[in-house]
Amino acid sequence: MADMNQILYTAQPTVEGSCVGQPTSLYVGDSSSAVANNLTPLENAQVHGILNVALDNYDPGFQTNGYLLNFSKVGLCDTGPRPGSSKKNDPATMIKAVQAVDQLLAAAASEDSPQVLVHCWSGGSRSVTIAALWIAQRLQYEPASGQTRFMTAINMVRKCRQLGFGNPYDSSQPYTPYDPSDPDASGTPGNPYPDGKPMAAVFDMAQSIDESQEIPVGTGPAPSWDEPGTCPESTS
């Protein structure tokens, strides 16, 4: 069964986020939502573009039978540097992923209310981050009181996915807002990013991007779905 959720927003965000209101043109899910032989859930959701933001390559396995469905991939690491590792994401790759959403939507502009599915492996960090960054940038989302624009957007997406912090990939637990001041959930220096906690370094990099620049709208064809993913060594 496809694990994906439509991301909705309200004009008046709350600190806890919201999953009621108007559609954003985005669905967020895990790899099972994109790797399947059943096209019906995607057709029903009017998904005409799939963006894989995991490093893994996969065979989509779809027989589209004339249904417009474009695939793209911009592979991201699932975390910032952990103890013993210096690998991290390149901000340019995260920007490229946001622009790929634009490109997939443009490629399906002839369809009625086209949607893009953004997915990673478990649908808990990378896909959530890119969806939130796209929302913050493209919808000029107003921040909730005491939050940045990106924090408000990512809490909204996480609430739609029902993600808590005990296990960021377990949708059966209570939703917990992202709070960068929480030492167990922040990307502050020295935090070891323990297993079972959200991959907050991905969140923090996206927030830094959102605070520092307006990302140009992506144009032209989206990146190929089978291009290799990269996770470079940190130079900082």
Side-chain angles (χ1 to χ4, degrees):
M1 180 177 181
D3 173 14
M4 64 184 193
N5 302 91
Q6 188 173 28
I7 307 304
L8 306 175
Y9 74 99
T10 60
Q12 298 296 323
T14 66
V15 173
E16 291 78 20
S18 181
C19 197
V20 294
Q22 301 299 313
T24 64
S25 300
L26 293 182
Y27 278 76
V28 174
D30 69 3
S31 57
S32 72
S33 61
V35 184
N37 291 317
N38 185 5
L39 191 63
T40 302
L42 297 173
E43 287 183 301
N44 290 343
Q46 297 178 287
V47 169
H48 291 282
I50 295 180
L51 174 62
N52 173 20
V53 294
L55 290 171
D56 317 271
N57 282 327
Y58 64 90
D59 180 355
F62 283 115
Q63 298 296 323
T64 57
N65 299 320
Y67 179 77
L68 177 62
L69 187 59
N70 295 307
F71 295 88
S72 181
K73 174 188 169 184
V74 180
L76 295 167
C77 311
D78 203 17
T79 182
R82 286 176 177 263
S85 172
S86 61
K87 291 184 179 295
K88 64 183 295 185
N89 287 300
D90 184 338
T93 306
M94 199 167 280
I95 291 170
K96 183 178 178 181
V98 170
Q99 293 177 321
V101 175
D102 300 328
Q103 293 162 324
L104 287 169
L105 285 171
S110 61
E111 302 296 320
D112 182 29
S113 300
Q115 305 284 309
V116 168
L117 167 65
V118 183
H119 82 88
C120 52
W121 183 251
S122 297
S125 58
R126 289 168 287 185
S127 56
V128 168
T129 299
I130 295 305
L133 186 53
W134 185 87
I135 289 167
Q137 289 275 322
R138 299 296 177 249
L139 302 183
Q140 296 293 303
Y141 205 63
E142 291 295 326
S145 176
Q147 292 190 351
T148 65
R149 181 174 70 174
F150 175 77
M151 284 173 59
T152 299
I154 201 161
N155 281 333
M156 180 189 69
V157 176
R158 293 184 70 255
K159 187 171 186 180
C160 287
R161 289 283 292 156
Q162 283 297 295
L163 299 173
F165 277 167
N167 179 342
Y169 311 124
D170 182 1
S171 60
S172 67
Q173 64 188 333
Y175 155 76
T176 309
Y178 169 53
D179 180 358
S181 66
D182 180 348
D184 287 334
S186 74
T188 53
N191 179 25
Y193 306 107
D195 290 337
K197 298 298 181 182
M199 308 310 179
V202 183
F203 296 173
D204 291 349
M205 178 174 284
Q207 176 164 287
S208 177
I209 291 170
D210 189 49
E211 290 178 334
S212 64
Q213 62 184 286
E214 297 298 323
I215 299 173
V217 173
T219 59
S224 169
W225 69 268
D226 59 353
E227 71 173 38
T230 59
C231 190
E233 298 292 326
S234 170
T235 56
S236 59

